[in-house]
């Protein structure tokens, strides 16, 4: 379980608990973790990231509220069964598309041209 | 409330170390005490531990003056205070003898994770001695851990290990208050940050609240004290 090992937390990019929850959602969407997998314990993850244990608890509670994880007393926090990965993937792509759309609008580029550029980049497999 | 400084003033001769300071320490919180050199951090921590007495105001830990509950607090100061002839094992015996709440098993685990060498303290580097003293301090089961610059003069890799040890040792029924200049690295540890300027409290905020507003502890520090 390599969740947490290569995460980049940005202290100026909003609350850490939110960044942690986002990382878990992303790991799920990318297939790094799957339904039934156990997340690191609060203490383990807090130590890996060098953040307060309460912050990790907050992140896990958030994910539990969203129905992505469940805490089983004495066993740990697990990704719930039957999480539709496709939904998470779509959400991540929508967020990425929104970032792209902001650039497109700022540069006053047409939608057709914007889509054409995406197509070229994906066809060439050149992700920079 | 685990501990409290109630309208505390500390005067050194003609100058104010701390002025009209009120601070409440709830249980289970990690507090970062920040400020430039001379702003009163060590004075605050020494008052909280009972090593200094206030000129005015009251300090209490678990409802009593700190000196009466010495067994429930741990103070790790900046001075390199350890007998030079002692090695980690000797230090462990000393701590076991002095403190019934000292846990030898936790001590050994901390010596390992902090990579403390098995030499006598006199043959250790300053950084290694700090790590030994930190292992001695964190292996005690106290209600309040008061750490004055535990990252001072320590190399990067050791700082990482120290931060991880502090994170790992946290318990919901204890609180930790630590001062540091390594704000960017340590800020993730803090539930709450308290900024001092010339003996006065100028900011007291929850770290995640600052981040909710798009700041970081570091940016707030620079803005308030820069």
């Amino acid at each position: 379980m390599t969740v947490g090992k290569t995460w980049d937390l940005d202290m100026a990019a909003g609350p850490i608990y939110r960044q942690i929850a986002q990382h878990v959602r992303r790991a799920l969407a990318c297939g790094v973790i799957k339904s039934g997998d156990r997340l690191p314990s609060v203490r383990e993850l807090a130590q890996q990231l060098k953040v307060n244990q309460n912050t990790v608890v907050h992140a896990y509670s958030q994910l539990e509220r969203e129905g992505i994880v469940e805490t089983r007393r004495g066993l740990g926090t697990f990704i719930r069964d039957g999480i539709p990965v496709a939904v998470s993937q779509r959400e991540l792509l929508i967020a990425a598309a929104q970032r792209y759309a902001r650039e497109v609008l700022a540069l006053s580029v047409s939608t057709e041209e914007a889509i054409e550029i995406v197509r070229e980049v994906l066809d060439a497999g050149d992700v920079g | 409330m685990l501990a409290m400084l109630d309208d505390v003033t500390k005067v050194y001769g003609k100058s104010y170390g701390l002025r009209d300071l009120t601070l409440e320490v709830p249980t289970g919180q990690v507090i970062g005490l920040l400020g430039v050199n001379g702003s009163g951090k060590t004075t605050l921590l020494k008052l909280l531990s009972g090593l200094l007495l206030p000129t005015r105001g009251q300090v209490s830990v678990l409802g009593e003056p700190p000196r009466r509950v010495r067994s429930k607090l741990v103070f790790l100061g900046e001075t390199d205070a350890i007998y030079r002839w002692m090695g980690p094992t000797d230090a462990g015996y000393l701590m076991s003898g002095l403190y019934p709440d000292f846990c030898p098993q936790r001590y050994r685990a901390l010596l390992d994770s902090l990579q403390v060498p098995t030499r006598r303290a006199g043959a250790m580097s300053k950084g290694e001695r700090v790590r030994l003293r930190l292992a001695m301090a964190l292996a005690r089961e106290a209600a309040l851990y008061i750490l004055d610059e535990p990252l001072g003069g320590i190399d990067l890799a050791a700082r990482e290990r120290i931060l991880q040890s502090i994170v790992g040792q946290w318990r919901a029924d204890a609180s930790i208050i630590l001062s540091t200049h390594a704000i960017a690295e340590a800020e993730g540890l803090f539930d709450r940050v308290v900024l001092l300027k010339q003996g006065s409290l100028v900011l007291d905020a929850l770290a995640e609240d600052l981040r909710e507003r798009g700041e970081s502890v570091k940016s707030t520090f620079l803005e308030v004290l820069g």
Side-chain angles (χ1 to χ4, degrees):
Chain A
M1 172 58 66
T2 53
V3 168
K5 281 273 192 291
T6 50
W7 289 2
D8 254 323
L9 291 178
D10 182 352
M11 296 297 163
I16 297 173
Y17 87 89
R18 214 178 278 155
Q19 293 182 44
I20 293 174
Q22 184 58 12
H23 275 287
V24 172
R25 281 188 224 104
R26 184 180 196 84
L28 186 58
C30 297
V32 170
I33 49 177
K34 301 177 297 296
S35 284
D37 281 354
R38 188 183 149 270
L39 290 180
S41 71
V42 167
R43 190 164 169 264
E44 274 163 16
L45 189 57
Q47 282 188 291
Q48 269 175 39
L49 298 174
K50 291 181 287 288
V51 299
N52 196 293
Q53 290 192 33
N54 285 327
T55 305
V56 177
V57 168
H58 194 178
Y60 283 8
S61 299
Q62 174 70 21
L63 290 167
E64 195 156 19
R65 268 195 298 277
E66 290 172 12
I68 294 178
V69 305
E70 63 185 350
T71 300
R72 295 177 209 159
R73 258 271 236 131
L75 293 170
T77 302
F78 295 80
I79 303 290
R80 295 185 69 172
D81 289 329
I83 297 293
V85 172
V87 172
S88 311
Q89 286 175 337
R90 201 178 147 72
E91 279 167 6
L92 279 173
L93 287 173
I94 288 173
Q98 284 171 333
R99 288 193 293 275
Y100 183 57
R102 283 198 288 276
E103 281 278 61
V104 168
L105 288 172
L107 297 169
S108 303
V109 167
S110 72
T111 304
E112 290 74 35
E113 202 184 329
I115 292 176
E116 187 46 44
I117 292 172
V118 173
R119 204 189 305 278
E120 276 173 30
V121 167
L122 286 171
D123 284 343
D126 176 16
V127 291
Chain B
M1 205 48 60
L2 185 69
M4 175 138 116
L5 290 120
D6 187 5
D7 205 20
V8 165
T9 295
K10 177 67 181 172
V11 173
Y12 296 111
K14 290 215 192 104
S15 61
Y16 284 91
L18 277 189
R19 199 196 278 257
D20 307 322
L21 190 131
T22 294
L23 181 73
E24 293 184 344
V25 180
T27 311
Q29 198 171 70
V30 179
I31 302 177
L33 182 61
L34 311 177
V36 302
N37 290 334
S39 53
K41 302 189 300 295
T42 298
T43 301
L44 192 157
L45 296 177
K46 285 190 170 173
L47 283 164
L48 205 50
S49 64
L51 286 170
L52 286 176
L53 293 173
T55 308
R56 277 198 298 281
Q58 270 210 313
V59 183
S60 60
V61 175
L62 296 167
E64 309 237 33
R67 289 188 184 188
R68 278 217 216 116
V69 288
R70 229 183 281 134
S71 61
K72 295 268 169 40
L73 9 117
V74 172
F75 177 79
L76 183 69
E78 272 192 288
T79 55
D80 202 0
I82 180 163
Y83 292 113
R84 292 302 192 259
W85 59 264
M86 280 190 164
T89 312
D90 303 309
Y93 290 141
L94 173 70
M95 294 300 283
S96 292
L98 286 174
Y99 301 106
D101 61 47
F102 182 75
C103 178
Q105 199 178 7
R106 198 185 305 170
Y107 179 58
R108 280 190 295 276
L110 282 161
L111 289 175
D112 186 51
S113 58
L114 290 167
Q115 298 186 354
V116 178
T118 50
R119 291 194 275 281
R120 59 182 190 85
M124 287 187 193
S125 68
K126 181 184 137 182
E128 288 165 347
R129 276 196 296 273
V130 170
R131 279 140 51 197
L132 170 57
R133 288 170 49 236
L134 189 65
M136 290 161 68
L138 294 179
R140 277 188 56 202
E141 181 117 338
L144 181 61
Y145 296 85
I146 304 167
L147 313 175
D148 196 355
E149 306 270 358
L151 301 173
I154 309 293
D155 68 79
L156 179 67
R159 288 204 297 274
E160 302 260 292
R161 281 193 285 276
I162 289 173
L163 290 171
Q164 282 168 339
S165 294
I166 295 173
V167 167
Q169 292 302 313
W170 172 87
R171 299 183 334 261
D173 59 346
S175 294
I176 303 174
I177 178 166
L178 69 115
S179 65
T180 183
H181 289 298
I183 296 167
E185 282 171 69
E187 77 159 275
L189 256 71
F190 308 139
D191 284 298
R192 177 175 166 211
V193 292
V194 168
L195 267 69
L196 295 185
K197 183 174 181 175
Q198 293 170 337
S200 292
L201 190 146
V202 293
L203 184 94
D204 183 350
L206 296 179
E208 291 276 79
D209 282 352
L210 293 175
R211 292 187 199 107
E212 192 75 62
R213 302 205 290 264
E215 300 291 328
S216 62
V217 172
K218 175 181 160 183
S219 67
T220 304
F221 179 90
L222 291 172
E223 193 184 299
V224 175
L225 296 172

